[in-house]
Amino acid sequence: MIKLIASDMDGTLLDSHMSVTPENAEAIRFATQAGIEFMVATGRNYQEARAALDEVGIDCAMITLNGAQVFDKEGNSLFTVAIPHQEATLVLDILDQNNIYYEVSTNKGLYSESQAKRIESFASMVATHLPHLTYKMAIAMASANLELLHINYIDSIRDLLQQDEEIEVLKIICFHTEGPSVLGPVGKQIDELGNLTVTSSGQNNIEVNHKNAQKGIAVAHVANDRGISLDDVMTIGDNFNDVSMLQVAGVSFAMGNAEIDVKEYAKYTTATNLESGVGKAILRAIAEDL
């Protein structure tokens, strides 16, 4: 019997407007009324994730930044898994050598060295998840996103890490318009540093976390805290940063729009994010007692 549901957001819970559909929201409420806890497990930071959930009144615990930070329902940080400064700097060295734009998520906020590249990179990510959009529309959505998300633009992230010993690097996300052809080899370089995990939430990015900051590890941690067996956990996702949580859960759904290789890790497949696949998966799991 399912007691805990963890869902990814982008390409999964969210539709083409980056919003939770009414059908998804209703299914989540139905599950919670049945005594099943719902939470999100996302690559987004807390502020980004919270904005989309607040639109439909969903109040839940959150696994953010791919498992680097976990929050309870009230928004209190329960734990973080950080990348040591020395290793973070080595990652930034590799990215700069390959002329790759990056953003660094920390316990003190999100940092970038270029607003223009931020807009361009976010637009490229939006276009990947929502291919029906024109690039102009994606740029407009990216610009609007800046108004919702507080980003700290600074001259040097390296200087920040050297000057502030209390700052924790939780995730480094990197973007390149040429996608895997450029990011694939770079990801391998980073992986060879050790103690890091390299995943992706889209064709044009890679995401770097500490090896212990993974959605699957975080889901297992939360389930253990709740006294819930992993057999009674359901996870839903669409991309490679969701694989670890699809693997650990007793019930796992890949979205209809998921990457083909990602579908191999899930026990079931649901409809696409544009068809409220999360809501359909939740109702199916409850009705069939998966």
Side-chain angles (χ1 to χ4, degrees):
M1 178 181 175
I2 294 170
K3 298 179 181 178
L4 174 66
I5 299 171
S7 172
D8 174 49
M9 293 189 73
D10 294 283
T12 301
L13 182 63
L14 305 183
D15 63 9
S16 60
H17 302 290
M18 295 294 178
S19 298
V20 180
T21 67
E23 185 177 346
N24 283 344
E26 185 60 31
I28 291 168
R29 293 189 185 96
F30 180 77
T32 56
Q33 288 168 4
I36 301 170
E37 180 178 359
F38 175 84
M39 67 185 307
V40 295
T42 178
R44 293 183 175 214
N45 64 32
Y46 181 84
Q47 187 180 14
E48 282 184 292
R50 187 72 266 163
L53 298 173
D54 285 344
E55 288 181 356
V56 290
I58 294 175
D59 198 17
C60 64
M62 291 191 283
I63 294 168
T64 65
L65 301 173
N66 292 333
Q69 193 162 31
V70 177
F71 294 87
D72 65 17
K73 189 175 181 180
E74 288 71 39
N76 301 306
S77 178
L78 300 180
F79 66 85
T80 60
V81 183
I83 302 171
H85 284 199
Q86 184 177 359
E87 292 183 1
T89 300
L90 291 175
V91 172
L92 301 188
D93 288 342
I94 292 172
L95 297 176
D96 283 336
Q97 289 164 10
N98 288 275
N99 195 31
I100 293 174
Y101 170 72
Y102 53 82
E103 298 170 7
V104 178
S105 294
T106 76
N107 61 323
K108 296 186 178 182
L110 177 63
Y111 291 87
S112 169
E113 295 177 349
S114 172
Q115 185 179 50
K117 288 184 179 179
R118 207 286 165 175
I119 293 175
E120 178 184 349
S121 298
F122 188 85
S124 180
M125 182 189 74
V126 169
T128 298
H129 283 295
L130 308 172
H132 65 285
L133 293 183
T134 64
Y135 187 69
K136 184 176 181 180
M137 292 169 65
I139 287 288
M141 187 174 289
S143 299
N145 176 265
L146 290 181
E147 298 178 4
L148 299 174
L149 179 65
H150 179 67
I151 306 174
N152 303 291
Y153 293 102
I154 57 177
D155 293 332
S156 174
I157 294 175
R158 279 186 184 76
D159 288 348
L160 175 69
L161 299 184
Q162 291 174 357
Q163 296 165 7
D164 189 347
E165 294 182 357
E166 294 183 357
I167 199 164
E168 294 181 314
V169 177
L170 303 178
K171 185 181 84 166
I172 301 171
I173 185 168
C174 332
F175 299 90
H176 199 285
T177 55
E178 294 181 25
S181 63
V182 172
L183 295 175
V186 169
K188 289 181 180 179
Q189 276 187 271
I190 295 172
D191 192 55
E192 290 171 358
L193 294 176
N195 295 319
L196 300 175
T197 182
V198 180
T199 58
S200 173
S201 58
Q203 289 291 315
N204 71 325
N205 73 53
I206 55 175
E207 302 180 358
V208 183
N209 290 90
H210 188 278
K211 67 178 181 180
N212 292 328
Q214 299 184 49
K215 291 184 181 183
I217 295 174
V219 167
H221 185 99
V222 171
N224 183 64
D225 280 353
R226 306 286 199 273
I228 297 173
S229 166
L230 287 172
D231 290 338
D232 297 326
V233 173
M234 171 178 167
T235 55
I236 316 169
D238 75 304
N239 225 305
F240 293 101
N241 62 343
D242 300 315
V243 168
S244 64
M245 70 173 182
L246 295 177
Q247 289 177 305
V248 302
V251 178
S252 56
F253 278 86
M255 300 298 293
N257 53 285
E259 295 288 336
I260 293 176
D261 290 343
V262 173
K263 291 180 179 179
E264 297 297 320
Y265 292 97
K267 293 180 174 66
Y268 306 98
T269 302
T270 186
T272 71
N273 65 313
L274 303 184
E275 302 167 321
S276 300
V278 167
K280 289 179 171 62
I282 291 173
L283 296 180
R284 176 187 171 187
I286 294 174
E288 298 180 13
D289 193 22
L290 296 180

